[in-house]
Amino acid sequence: MGFWDRTHNLDRMTLPELVRAYFAYPAILAYLGLGIASYGLMIYWMEQPWRLLPAIAFALVVYPVVWYLLHRFVLHGRYLYRSKATAAMWKRIHFDHHQDPHNLNVLFGALVTTLPTIAIVTLPLGWLIAGPAGAMAAFGTGLITTCFYEFCHCVQHLNFQPRLRFLQRIKRLHLAHHFHNEQGNFGITNYICDRLLGSYYDKPRDVPKSATVFNLGYTQEEAARYPWVAALSGGTRSDDNPRRFRAAATVGGDAEAR
């Protein structure tokens, strides 16, 4: 059994163990490798270095906006699991993470969805700002920013109290998203969009406890109508318990806790 063929529980890992696992994960190695290659091409094609700064700044500004919009309106939307064609993708890229927030294996984004998104967002406007060098600058910045986001995301779920106030704050806000109310705090490291669009809450007492915080609205009733995710997941999750549930004899029936 390979390193990533088994579950890695962030609730039981130390920070050094996380760092080793982080730099062993294929997606992170891909981001880093492509990011370095992008910056290399940026330097090779660079003619006016000052023109690259707006391309880099654009990538840094647009990244949290795009992440917020995708997280809130696509990953927390209910149409992906209602289609057989997209149910497995939704299960992998977000449902599994909310089902088991401490499972490192499903915390990282899938390359098949992250790389095209980063490329579509950064390459065209980077090119408009500074040609091919600008495109590589924006794309490379998007990739390295993804690595930063992914590491912060890992720390947010790690059984570890950060010393930095920044990490303490984003950890508190993100865990509230996972364990209290999933309809707010969609940011990872940046919550400006949450503030601007009314989805920010500072403390759990500020908003009611969500009944769908662990299943994202994919209840047993929804599983009965749209069975594909339940068939792949072995059932649905209890509304008030983050433990996995065994599938009943029929999809949508009662489930029994492990």
Side-chain angles (χ1 to χ4, degrees):
M1 178 180 291
F3 181 80
W4 287 106
D5 293 329
R6 63 181 188 273
T7 298
H8 296 272
N9 188 346
L10 282 162
D11 198 39
R12 298 178 182 177
M13 293 177 70
T14 65
L15 182 59
E17 289 173 337
L18 169 63
V19 171
R20 288 194 295 270
Y22 176 84
F23 285 106
Y25 194 74
I28 297 301
L29 295 176
Y31 297 141
L32 291 173
L34 288 171
I36 293 171
S38 297
Y39 284 139
L41 289 172
M42 174 195 75
I43 294 171
Y44 180 76
W45 286 326
M46 181 173 58
E47 295 179 355
Q48 297 173 309
W50 61 269
R51 292 183 61 196
L52 300 178
L53 294 178
I56 293 172
F58 159 76
L60 291 174
V61 170
V62 77
Y63 194 99
V65 176
V66 171
W67 166 255
Y68 175 88
L69 295 175
L70 290 175
H71 190 191
R72 180 175 181 178
F73 297 108
V74 178
L75 300 183
H76 280 262
R78 300 192 177 185
Y79 51 89
L80 290 179
Y81 70 69
R82 293 179 178 179
S83 169
K84 185 177 182 179
T86 55
M89 178 182 67
W90 180 74
K91 166 184 154 51
R92 163 59 185 90
I93 63 178
H94 211 56
F95 180 69
D96 283 351
H97 179 49
H98 274 263
Q99 287 269 282
D100 192 351
H102 297 308
N103 184 356
L104 184 59
N105 299 55
V106 295
L107 181 147
F108 297 104
L111 287 175
V112 69
T113 57
T114 57
L115 286 180
T117 302
I118 297 169
I120 290 170
V121 170
T122 60
L123 287 174
L125 285 178
W127 187 289
L128 289 175
I129 293 170
M136 291 298 98
F139 185 53
T141 300
L143 291 165
I144 300 304
T145 302
T146 300
C147 291
F148 175 70
Y149 264 54
E150 294 283 38
F151 187 76
C152 289
H153 194 190
C154 290
V155 171
Q156 287 166 337
H157 289 280
L158 186 68
N159 186 15
F160 165 76
Q161 182 59 31
R163 294 183 179 180
L164 293 177
R165 289 188 178 181
F166 166 74
L167 289 176
Q168 291 175 5
R169 177 176 175 272
I170 64 172
K171 182 182 179 79
R172 173 173 56 82
L173 295 174
H174 187 66
L175 290 182
H177 170 81
H178 270 280
F179 292 94
H180 183 72
N181 191 312
E182 82 285 8
Q183 294 304 319
N185 294 349
F186 293 99
I188 294 294
T189 67
N190 187 310
Y191 292 88
I192 293 176
C193 288
D194 281 291
R195 290 181 181 274
L196 292 176
L197 298 178
S199 56
Y200 176 83
Y201 64 94
D202 186 56
K203 295 180 176 60
R205 66 171 179 265
D206 296 338
V207 295
K209 170 79 172 180
S210 171
T212 57
V213 69
F214 297 118
N215 60 33
L216 307 185
Y218 188 69
T219 61
Q220 294 177 18
E221 292 75 19
E222 286 288 271
R225 298 178 63 190
Y226 311 102
W228 305 290
V229 171
L232 294 170
S233 303
T236 60
R237 181 177 294 282
S238 165
D239 291 343
D240 59 0
N241 194 319
R243 294 175 300 174
R244 286 201 177 279
F245 269 54
R246 289 197 295 264
T250 58
V251 174
D254 294 334
E256 179 186 357
R258 284 182 179 177

